Amino acid sequence: MRGSSARSVNLALATWVSAINFWAWNLIGPLSTTYAEALSLSSAEASMLVATPILVGSLGRIVVGALTDRFGGRVMFIALSSSSIVPVLAVGFAGSIDSYTLLLVFGFFLGIAGTVFAIGIPFANNWYEPARRGFATGVFGAGMVGTALSAFFTPRMVGWFGLFPTHAIVAAALGVTALVCVVVMRDSPEFVPNTNPVIPKLKVAARLRVTWEMAALYAVVFGGFVAFANYLPTYIKTIYDFSAVDAGTRTAGFAVAAVIARPIGGALSDRIPPKFVVLTSLAGTGVMAVVAAFQPPPDFWSAITFITLAVFLGIGTGGVFAWVARRSPAASVGSITGIVAAAGGVGGYFPPLVMGATYDAADNDYTVGLALLVITAAVALLYTAFRLHAREPDTSVPTHST
């Protein structure tokens, strides 16, 4: 393979790797209502079950991003897909014996699969010139479709094949994916290993202002996506009394809308300053959270509400990472990506816990949790509008990237 065909194949394969790992990462969320009924879990206990893989998958991105700078995307994709197999099988086993404790323990290790994002962004950046990195990271980000695949298919597959066989199928898909990466995937010729020790690299990234500004924004937009993609089955079942399968279908629609919007946000950021894409995302997110708090009736109006929310979150995730690609010094992209991606995941960790803790059983609403989302989006919007520049200085000199 040469030139454009090589980069297209590698970008497509990286997107698939992301999708199958996102599916694995999100195996518990679509079944949370099933576990809650079988194990008689409280709202807070069910929220903890959903949130645990999110936390590990988030914080693990910091180290994985730095390791990607050193070993390259190909090695890391292979290692990650392979190492996610055992946790997937272990979660299936814990669920099949109705053990809440083991689900929490193995769900912790399942979080490994969620670190895939910190690998793919620098991998895609290396394959594409700066003017097209918004497109490239947006396409790779479409691997978030794995959450939609999980939401739609996991409850159905459990009905067709059983709980543990479903997890075995996903584990097998991870194994096949790793083998295909061994045979087909290649790092870009532009990739230059950064062999400096990981900790100093992370310290350098942590000293850059761009790292924390982008991390804060990503915590809102990607964190919002992750939170809803994982907690929406519980939300829909609680508010609208749908079955687990029906709630999963609607959650899949939410995830697909965000996935489609992400590369659009990235492509728009190649044409206009990413600041304006992110501002649009934050404003739309806040407005749609207000609408959701009024519990629009099913099925048409509620669907429009959450799909529109997903679109705003999706273009925001594409916009933020296009901004990261523009502003980051080339030698630190992986490290910065790891920290930013971790912040996005952590941003998705707390909302399910907050939603579970603030759920008003008497009025059957999540108003407090949605109000906090509105406030967070508003604060991020004001900071972006008044503190961040629409056009950044040349990042070829690292000292100017701060």
Side-chain angles (χ1 to χ4, degrees):
M1 292 184 293
R2 293 179 178 273
S4 61
S5 62
R7 68 182 184 180
S8 296
V9 168
N10 279 280
L11 180 59
L13 181 53
T15 304
W16 166 251
V17 178
S18 175
I20 191 62
N21 276 278
F22 262 87
W23 186 338
W25 190 35
N26 191 41
L27 275 171
I28 291 178
L31 300 176
S32 58
T33 56
T34 302
Y35 292 138
E37 291 180 359
L39 303 175
S40 300
L41 303 181
S42 67
S43 180
E45 288 172 331
S47 299
M48 181 63 72
L49 196 60
V50 170
T52 298
I54 297 175
L55 179 63
V56 179
S58 305
L59 297 179
R61 294 176 182 186
I62 298 174
V63 175
V64 168
L67 291 174
T68 301
D69 282 340
R70 179 166 189 159
F71 297 107
R74 177 178 180 270
V75 168
M76 294 301 295
F77 276 137
I78 294 167
L80 180 68
S81 298
S82 301
S83 61
S84 298
I85 293 173
V86 171
V88 166
L89 294 173
V91 166
F93 168 75
S96 66
I97 64 171
D98 293 332
S99 173
Y100 178 71
T101 301
L102 288 181
L103 277 170
L104 282 177
V105 172
F106 295 145
F108 177 91
F109 293 101
L110 185 66
I112 293 170
T115 64
V116 67
F117 212 80
I119 303 171
I121 296 298
F123 180 82
N125 276 351
N126 286 327
W127 271 108
Y128 283 79
E129 64 274 14
R132 298 203 69 204
R133 284 177 180 167
F135 163 79
T137 56
V139 170
F140 171 75
M144 296 189 311
V145 75
T147 60
L149 295 173
S150 183
F152 186 85
F153 285 109
T154 300
R156 286 172 169 80
M157 289 170 64
V158 169
W160 297 335
F161 309 119
L163 185 64
F164 185 80
T166 295
H167 288 72
I169 291 170
V170 175
L174 285 165
V176 171
T177 297
L179 289 175
V180 172
C181 288
V182 170
V183 176
V184 178
M185 181 174 277
R186 296 293 181 268
D187 286 307
S188 166
E190 302 300 319
F191 169 66
V192 177
N194 184 338
T195 56
N196 295 327
V198 170
I199 299 301
K201 285 192 296 184
L202 290 175
K203 288 182 178 178
V204 169
R207 285 197 293 267
L208 297 175
R209 181 175 173 180
V210 58
T211 302
W212 299 109
E213 289 174 337
M214 295 298 100
L217 293 177
Y218 203 60
V220 179
V221 292
F222 186 73
F225 165 76
V226 170
F228 278 105
N230 282 273
Y231 197 73
L232 206 53
T234 299
Y235 181 101
I236 291 173
K237 187 177 187 306
T238 302
I239 299 298
Y240 298 111
D241 198 29
F242 286 121
S243 69
V245 170
D246 288 338
T249 300
R250 287 156 180 80
T251 302
F254 172 91
V256 168
V259 166
I260 293 172
R262 179 165 189 139
I264 294 173
L268 284 173
S269 298
D270 286 336
R271 291 164 174 78
I272 63 175
K275 173 178 178 175
F276 301 120
V277 177
V278 175
L279 284 173
T280 301
S281 167
L282 294 170
T285 296
V287 170
M288 298 317 300
V290 170
V291 174
F294 286 95
Q295 296 185 13
D299 213 7
F300 178 78
W301 291 112
S302 62
I304 291 295
T305 298
F306 284 105
I307 287 175
T308 305
L309 174 61
V311 169
F312 281 119
L313 290 171
I315 64 171
T317 58
V320 170
F321 258 109
W323 216 350
V324 170
R326 284 193 185 190
R327 298 184 63 192
S328 301
S332 298
V333 171
S335 299
I336 294 173
T337 295
I339 295 173
V340 173
V346 171
Y349 171 73
F350 291 104
L353 298 180
V354 172
M355 296 290 272
T358 61
Y359 168 65
D360 185 344
D363 294 327
N364 190 34
D365 67 53
Y366 289 97
T367 301
V368 173
L370 292 169
L372 290 173
L373 173 58
V374 174
I375 293 169
T376 302
V379 171
L381 185 147
L382 291 172
Y383 184 87
T384 303
F386 295 108
R387 298 290 296 173
L388 300 184
H389 300 293
R391 300 188 184 278
E392 300 301 324
D394 185 0
T395 59
S396 61
V397 181
T399 55
H400 292 171
S401 66
T402 59

